Amino acid sequence: MTDNIEFIPNCPLPIAEYPAILLAHGGGGKLMHHLIEKIFMAAFENEKLKERHDSAVIDLAGKRLAFTTDSYVVHPLFFPGGDIGKLAVYGTVNDLAMSGAKPVFLSAGFIIEEGLPTEMLWRIAQSMKQAALEAKVEIVTGDTKVVDHGKGDGVFINTSGIGIIEHNLRIAPSRVRPGDAIIINGDIGRHGIAIMAVREGLEFESTIASDCRPLHAQVARLLEAGAVVHCLRDLTRGGLGTALVEIAEAAHQHIHVDENAIEVRQDVQGACEILGFDPLYVANEGRFVVFVPESQVGLALEALRGMTPDSEARLIGRVGGGTPGIVTLKTKIGVSRIVDMLSGEQLPRIC
Amino acid sequence: MTDNIEFIPNCPLPIAEYPAILLAHGGGGKLMHHLIEKIFMAAFENEKLKERHDSAVIDLAGKRLAFTTDSYVVHPLFFPGGDIGKLAVYGTVNDLAMSGAKPVFLSAGFIIEEGLPTEMLWRIAQSMKQAALEAKVEIVTGDTKVVDHGKGDGVFINTSGIGIIEHNLRIAPSRVRPGDAIIINGDIGRHGIAIMAVREGLEFESTIASDCRPLHAQVARLLEAGAVVHCLRDLTRGGLGTALVEIAEAAHQHIHVDENAIEVRQDVQGACEILGFDPLYVANEGRFVVFVPESQVGLALEALRGMTPDSEARLIGRVGGGTPGIVTLKTKIGVSRIVDMLSGEQLPRIC
């Protein structure tokens, strides 16, 4: 039965160059993409993986479903605006929403480090309960593992999710077209800075809270308004910059964005300067970009109006007019520069 | 929107008694059941979780699907007869099969410890590829995280799975009836002993290999033969003993099994004696029990004939005739004893 499997005879990553996995291999940048392409895509290749989308779109029994998975290893477990439990529910809900699916069922797999205070686990479970109610999903199956003290870090949570696709659009990077407008649903950088501030013990005038929240309702509003959505992408690991580069590459299109249109709160900007971060690459957990035809900008902005606390959706850029696969940014001082993926690690264990 | 959520005001596990999570909370025995009931079932309660089955059976778009998740933290990563990758594919395939579902799609989430040799990750991915081909499932979505050296243990893998239920039976512990016959598909204890032998550096005359293999084809044979299957359960963490106690409790039925009918290979028995283990509680990764009406024993045994390498399916016991919720075992010397769940930890990180 397995006679015809073609096994790759040798590891396709140059072992001499990368003998071992680095933290940066999980950072959402170039190294991670390299690892995924060479090790996982090469082994598991199929049409669904090739879409390189947040969720796989699968046909089952004549219906279109979205299926996705994410493991959460955020450190610390609790942070302003959220905790690992909330993140684990909303993160997977959002990956489903980015396929235009209505999230329905979640699984929850816990890898607990021996010695985790029992009450902390209970608080995380309660937080997941609240998040699941908020996002209108049911956690229907689960698994619990415990590893020795010093072989984990408190708790890691995997959530996988199933959603139903009730429209006839195909929402994917490959659908992006020249002339598409790019809309973002709010300001960037809050989640990453909230985590880093706790981790580094930084104090600001006011606490910067994570933007962690479910995005299914915003996507539903766009679809209900009749927007012909070409692509959706949430701006988690690697931030807005990485998301745009991924889409430009997958769509073989040029993307141009205007830095003046991208909102960064003053406290987030200040923290980025102290930490030496570019907000373009800082993770968000409640932000996404929408690609729609130019003619639908008004309709899409109207659909998203009032949906993001303390911020609003904005038009930030357009597709086309330059080299395919490349993202350019018009900076605040008016010059144009290329936006690349980070090669190293900006913020490890941000989600 | 969340005003009506009833939050449990305090952690329902006695904090004074269990201030922190113990390794035994992941061992498949009493402590793990206690943790799951008090922390997770209490938070996420819904009808699907209440079935306490290997997979959730969900209705989506008029079709019945099975949905399941498992994280794999086995140590060591490679062992005779398998590795963590093979285990992660077959384990989740088997959980779907235990609902009588045909496994179709898998997700794969990797939590990699910084410093894992790249080639090891590649070998694991290749092993998953082979296992997925063997089990006829596609790995359609994935996630990669990296944690700092010393905050993980090589690699942990979560696989979640979706299967289609194509028959009209309801296969679940609650369907078990007095008079049901209990059939097992082969000998017990190989997986647990294979792992422990490597971990403890034990040498036997011949290497004991894990029984790790996919069970979907065996379940399909049973269903194609027309067996009215009441319940299926694979015998992983906690082994045959724990599985029977779980089913007796969930079904509110008495279960009686005959030790003479339960095959334990001589080398496995010998290793159990050296290590002080009861084979009844040792994990398997290619064994399951089937509950069918008495009249179908011949049909079920015939369907399973020749399906397990180096072993055969056997009738090992019956349902009814004693106290509901209790499992009794007629030992080799002819006395009857109660089979209980282990309270502590027999074999940590076996899967």
Side-chain angles (χ1 to χ4, degrees):
Chain A
M1 183 168 135
T2 55
D3 286 353
N4 294 323
I5 305 176
E6 278 182 39
F7 285 98
I8 303 165
N10 287 299
C11 179
L13 264 188
I15 298 286
E17 200 178 340
Y18 298 113
I21 302 300
L22 309 172
L23 256 187
H25 277 116
K30 274 184 192 167
L31 274 179
M32 188 174 96
H33 283 80
H34 199 56
L35 176 73
I36 291 174
E37 293 293 327
K38 296 293 183 184
I39 303 268
F40 298 128
M41 298 292 273
F44 309 146
E45 59 175 329
N46 57 58
E47 289 307 310
K48 291 154 199 94
L49 273 180
K50 271 189 204 150
E51 279 283 354
R52 289 167 174 71
H53 203 22
D54 285 335
S55 301
V57 174
I58 57 184
D59 287 297
L60 255 187
K63 295 284 168 183
R64 282 205 304 162
L65 302 179
F67 180 33
T68 192
T69 193
D70 249 325
S71 298
Y72 298 85
V73 299
V74 65
H75 173 76
L77 298 175
F78 296 84
F79 48 83
D83 58 70
I84 191 171
K86 190 171 161 181
L87 200 62
V89 172
Y90 290 161
T92 292
V93 160
N94 292 350
D95 278 347
L96 292 172
M98 293 305 119
S99 294
K102 182 181 139 196
V104 187
F105 296 116
L106 253 54
S107 65
F110 298 86
I111 300 175
I112 307 167
E113 184 193 10
E114 183 186 15
L116 179 76
T118 309
E119 181 154 18
M120 206 174 269
L121 187 63
W122 166 75
R123 280 168 59 202
I124 291 166
Q126 291 294 304
S127 174
M128 292 179 79
K129 171 186 180 165
Q130 178 166 18
L133 283 161
E134 184 79 33
K136 296 183 179 155
V137 292
E138 272 188 312
I139 297 170
V140 293
T141 188
D143 176 55
T144 307
K145 294 288 190 308
V146 182
V147 296
D148 335 48
H149 181 65
K151 300 291 184 186
D153 196 11
V155 61
F156 303 139
I157 303 176
N158 176 284
T159 50
S160 300
I162 300 177
I164 306 184
I165 299 176
E166 290 172 328
H167 53 78
N168 295 315
L169 299 172
R170 245 193 73 215
I171 298 174
S174 57
R175 301 293 291 168
V176 169
R177 292 287 174 269
D180 277 0
I182 306 167
I183 290 167
I184 191 168
N185 71 326
D187 66 307
I188 62 169
R190 289 197 221 174
H191 176 73
I193 295 303
I195 297 284
M196 282 311 286
V198 183
R199 229 189 266 170
E200 304 289 317
L202 298 180
E203 299 225 357
F204 305 108
E205 275 179 39
S206 61
T207 303
I208 298 172
S210 169
D211 60 328
C212 179
R213 64 193 318 265
L215 297 171
H216 64 295
Q218 298 189 35
V219 172
R221 283 276 288 267
L222 281 167
L223 296 172
E224 282 158 17
V228 181
V229 174
H230 286 167
C231 186
L232 298 165
R233 179 65 59 103
D234 56 348
L235 310 175
T236 57
R237 246 187 314 178
L240 174 62
T242 305
L244 293 178
V245 175
E246 283 173 0
I247 292 170
E249 287 182 356
H252 305 291
Q253 298 288 350
H254 172 246
I255 285 178
H256 184 71
V257 287
D258 182 353
E259 193 171 21
N260 275 311
I262 300 166
E263 185 189 351
V264 183
R265 277 175 26 172
Q266 217 166 358
D267 52 359
V268 171
Q269 183 68 51
C272 279
E273 280 162 17
I274 292 168
L275 295 161
F277 289 161
D278 181 342
L280 212 53
Y281 297 101
V282 176
N284 313 274
E285 289 293 340
R287 299 294 179 265
F288 68 112
V289 286
V290 193
F291 289 69
V292 286
E294 173 71 43
S295 61
Q296 303 214 320
V297 171
L299 182 147
L301 287 174
E302 185 53 39
L304 294 175
R305 191 176 310 278
M307 298 293 280
T308 300
D310 312 321
S311 189
E312 279 298 349
R314 291 183 182 198
L315 174 68
I316 59 164
R318 291 211 161 68
V319 176
T323 313
I326 295 293
V327 178
T328 53
L329 175 86
K330 190 178 147 195
T331 66
K332 284 184 179 158
I333 54 167
V335 297
S336 186
R337 71 168 175 91
I338 288 177
V339 177
D340 203 355
M341 256 183 221
L342 292 186
S343 50
E345 177 65 66
Q346 181 167 268
L347 292 168
R349 297 184 56 191
I350 206 70
C351 61
Chain B
M1 182 168 140
T2 56
D3 286 354
N4 293 322
I5 304 176
E6 278 182 40
F7 284 99
I8 303 165
N10 287 298
C11 179
L13 263 189
I15 298 285
E17 199 176 340
Y18 298 113
I21 303 300
L22 310 172
L23 256 187
H25 277 115
K30 273 185 193 166
L31 274 179
M32 188 175 96
H33 283 81
H34 199 55
L35 176 73
I36 291 174
E37 292 294 326
K38 296 294 183 184
I39 303 266
F40 298 128
M41 298 293 274
F44 308 146
E45 57 175 328
N46 57 56
E47 289 308 311
K48 292 156 200 90
L49 273 179
K50 271 189 203 152
E51 279 281 354
R52 288 166 174 71
H53 203 21
D54 285 334
S55 301
V57 174
I58 57 183
D59 287 297
L60 256 186
K63 294 284 168 181
R64 283 204 303 162
L65 302 179
F67 181 33
T68 193
T69 193
D70 249 323
S71 298
Y72 298 85
V73 300
V74 66
H75 174 76
L77 298 174
F78 296 84
F79 47 84
D83 58 70
I84 190 172
K86 191 170 161 180
L87 201 62
V89 171
Y90 290 161
T92 292
V93 160
N94 291 350
D95 278 348
L96 292 171
M98 294 303 119
S99 293
K102 181 181 138 196
V104 186
F105 296 116
L106 253 54
S107 65
F110 297 86
I111 300 176
I112 307 167
E113 184 192 11
E114 183 187 15
L116 178 75
T118 309
E119 181 154 17
M120 207 176 268
L121 187 63
W122 167 74
R123 280 168 59 201
I124 292 166
Q126 291 294 304
S127 174
M128 292 178 79
K129 171 187 181 166
Q130 178 166 20
L133 283 162
E134 185 79 32
K136 295 182 179 156
V137 292
E138 272 189 312
I139 297 170
V140 292
T141 188
D143 176 55
T144 308
K145 295 289 191 307
V146 181
V147 296
D148 334 47
H149 181 65
K151 301 291 182 184
D153 196 11
V155 61
F156 303 141
I157 303 176
N158 176 285
T159 49
S160 300
I162 299 178
I164 307 183
I165 299 176
E166 290 172 329
H167 53 77
N168 295 315
L169 299 172
R170 245 193 73 217
I171 298 174
S174 57
R175 301 294 290 168
V176 169
R177 293 287 174 271
D180 278 0
I182 306 166
I183 290 167
I184 190 168
N185 71 327
D187 66 308
I188 62 170
R190 288 196 221 174
H191 177 72
I193 294 304
I195 298 283
M196 283 311 286
V198 183
R199 227 188 268 170
E200 305 289 318
L202 299 180
E203 300 225 356
F204 304 109
E205 273 178 43
S206 60
T207 303
I208 297 172
S210 168
D211 60 329
C212 180
R213 64 194 319 265
L215 297 171
H216 64 295
Q218 298 189 35
V219 172
R221 282 278 288 266
L222 281 167
L223 296 171
E224 281 158 18
V228 182
V229 173
H230 286 168
C231 186
L232 298 164
R233 179 63 59 102
D234 56 348
L235 309 175
T236 58
R237 247 187 313 179
L240 173 62
T242 306
L244 293 177
V245 175
E246 283 174 0
I247 292 170
E249 287 181 356
H252 305 291
Q253 298 288 349
H254 172 247
I255 286 177
H256 184 71
V257 286
D258 182 353
E259 194 172 20
N260 274 311
I262 301 167
E263 185 190 353
V264 183
R265 276 176 27 172
Q266 216 167 356
D267 52 359
V268 171
Q269 183 68 50
C272 280
E273 280 162 17
I274 291 168
L275 295 161
F277 289 161
D278 181 342
L280 213 53
Y281 298 101
V282 176
N284 313 275
E285 290 293 340
R287 299 294 179 265
F288 68 112
V289 286
V290 192
F291 288 70
V292 285
E294 173 73 40
S295 61
Q296 303 214 321
V297 170
L299 182 147
L301 287 176
E302 185 52 39
L304 294 174
R305 189 176 312 278
M307 299 292 281
T308 300
D310 311 321
S311 189
E312 278 299 347
R314 289 182 183 200
L315 173 70
I316 59 164
R318 291 210 161 66
V319 176
T323 313
I326 295 293
V327 178
T328 52
L329 175 85
K330 189 177 147 198
T331 65
K332 284 184 180 161
I333 54 167
V335 299
S336 185
R337 73 169 175 90
I338 288 177
V339 176
D340 203 355
M341 256 184 223
L342 291 186
S343 49
E345 176 66 63
Q346 182 167 270
L347 292 169
R349 297 184 57 192
I350 206 69
C351 61

mmCIF file with all atom_site columns, all heavy atoms in Angstrom, chain B residues 25 35 77 273 324:
data_model
loop_
_atom_site.group_PDB
_atom_site.id
_atom_site.type_symbol
_atom_site.label_atom_id
_atom_site.label_alt_id
_atom_site.label_comp_id
_atom_site.label_asym_id
_atom_site.label_entity_id
_atom_site.label_seq_id
_atom_site.pdbx_PDB_ins_code
_atom_site.Cartn_x
_atom_site.Cartn_y
_atom_site.Cartn_z
_atom_site.occupancy
_atom_site.B_iso_or_equiv
_atom_site.pdbx_formal_charge
_atom_site.auth_seq_id
_atom_site.auth_comp_id
_atom_site.auth_asym_id
_atom_site.auth_atom_id
_atom_site.pdbx_PDB_model_num
ATOM 1  N N   . HIS B 1 25  ? -1.699  13.647  37.228 1.00 0.00 ? 25  HIS B N   1
ATOM 2  C CA  . HIS B 1 25  ? -2.906  14.230  36.647 1.00 0.00 ? 25  HIS B CA  1
ATOM 3  C C   . HIS B 1 25  ? -2.998  13.970  35.138 1.00 0.00 ? 25  HIS B C   1
ATOM 4  O O   . HIS B 1 25  ? -4.039  14.189  34.528 1.00 0.00 ? 25  HIS B O   1
ATOM 5  C CB  . HIS B 1 25  ? -2.949  15.747  36.906 1.00 0.00 ? 25  HIS B CB  1
ATOM 6  C CG  . HIS B 1 25  ? -3.477  16.108  38.258 1.00 0.00 ? 25  HIS B CG  1
ATOM 7  N ND1 . HIS B 1 25  ? -2.724  16.730  39.228 1.00 0.00 ? 25  HIS B ND1 1
ATOM 8  C CD2 . HIS B 1 25  ? -4.709  15.934  38.810 1.00 0.00 ? 25  HIS B CD2 1
ATOM 9  C CE1 . HIS B 1 25  ? -3.461  16.921  40.306 1.00 0.00 ? 25  HIS B CE1 1
ATOM 10 N NE2 . HIS B 1 25  ? -4.668  16.452  40.085 1.00 0.00 ? 25  HIS B NE2 1
ATOM 11 N N   . LEU B 1 35  ? -9.498  15.825  37.625 1.00 0.00 ? 35  LEU B N   1
ATOM 12 C CA  . LEU B 1 35  ? -9.095  17.123  37.065 1.00 0.00 ? 35  LEU B CA  1
ATOM 13 C C   . LEU B 1 35  ? -10.002 17.514  35.897 1.00 0.00 ? 35  LEU B C   1
ATOM 14 O O   . LEU B 1 35  ? -10.498 18.651  35.819 1.00 0.00 ? 35  LEU B O   1
ATOM 15 C CB  . LEU B 1 35  ? -7.639  17.031  36.580 1.00 0.00 ? 35  LEU B CB  1
ATOM 16 C CG  . LEU B 1 35  ? -7.070  18.277  35.884 1.00 0.00 ? 35  LEU B CG  1
ATOM 17 C CD1 . LEU B 1 35  ? -6.804  19.372  36.906 1.00 0.00 ? 35  LEU B CD1 1
ATOM 18 C CD2 . LEU B 1 35  ? -5.782  17.949  35.135 1.00 0.00 ? 35  LEU B CD2 1
ATOM 19 N N   . LEU B 1 77  ? 11.322  10.333  21.820 1.00 0.00 ? 77  LEU B N   1
ATOM 20 C CA  . LEU B 1 77  ? 10.620  10.644  20.568 1.00 0.00 ? 77  LEU B CA  1
ATOM 21 C C   . LEU B 1 77  ? 10.617  9.464   19.594 1.00 0.00 ? 77  LEU B C   1
ATOM 22 O O   . LEU B 1 77  ? 9.710   9.315   18.795 1.00 0.00 ? 77  LEU B O   1
ATOM 23 C CB  . LEU B 1 77  ? 11.267  11.864  19.882 1.00 0.00 ? 77  LEU B CB  1
ATOM 24 C CG  . LEU B 1 77  ? 11.232  13.181  20.665 1.00 0.00 ? 77  LEU B CG  1
ATOM 25 C CD1 . LEU B 1 77  ? 12.035  14.259  19.936 1.00 0.00 ? 77  LEU B CD1 1
ATOM 26 C CD2 . LEU B 1 77  ? 9.804   13.654  20.905 1.00 0.00 ? 77  LEU B CD2 1
ATOM 27 N N   . GLU B 1 273 ? 6.714   -7.838  35.115 1.00 0.00 ? 273 GLU B N   1
ATOM 28 C CA  . GLU B 1 273 ? 7.112   -8.330  36.437 1.00 0.00 ? 273 GLU B CA  1
ATOM 29 C C   . GLU B 1 273 ? 8.366   -7.611  36.929 1.00 0.00 ? 273 GLU B C   1
ATOM 30 O O   . GLU B 1 273 ? 8.452   -7.203  38.080 1.00 0.00 ? 273 GLU B O   1
ATOM 31 C CB  . GLU B 1 273 ? 7.287   -9.854  36.405 1.00 0.00 ? 273 GLU B CB  1
ATOM 32 C CG  . GLU B 1 273 ? 5.920   -10.538 36.503 1.00 0.00 ? 273 GLU B CG  1
ATOM 33 C CD  . GLU B 1 273 ? 5.922   -11.995 36.047 1.00 0.00 ? 273 GLU B CD  1
ATOM 34 O OE1 . GLU B 1 273 ? 7.013   -12.601 35.950 1.00 0.00 ? 273 GLU B OE1 1
ATOM 35 O OE2 . GLU B 1 273 ? 4.810   -12.523 35.780 1.00 0.00 ? 273 GLU B OE2 1
ATOM 36 N N   . PRO B 1 324 ? -23.773 -2.367  38.872 1.00 0.00 ? 324 PRO B N   1
ATOM 37 C CA  . PRO B 1 324 ? -23.533 -1.388  37.805 1.00 0.00 ? 324 PRO B CA  1
ATOM 38 C C   . PRO B 1 324 ? -22.362 -0.460  38.140 1.00 0.00 ? 324 PRO B C   1
ATOM 39 O O   . PRO B 1 324 ? -22.185 -0.068  39.299 1.00 0.00 ? 324 PRO B O   1
ATOM 40 C CB  . PRO B 1 324 ? -24.840 -0.595  37.754 1.00 0.00 ? 324 PRO B CB  1
ATOM 41 C CG  . PRO B 1 324 ? -25.878 -1.510  38.325 1.00 0.00 ? 324 PRO B CG  1
ATOM 42 C CD  . PRO B 1 324 ? -25.156 -2.314  39.373 1.00 0.00 ? 324 PRO B CD  1
#
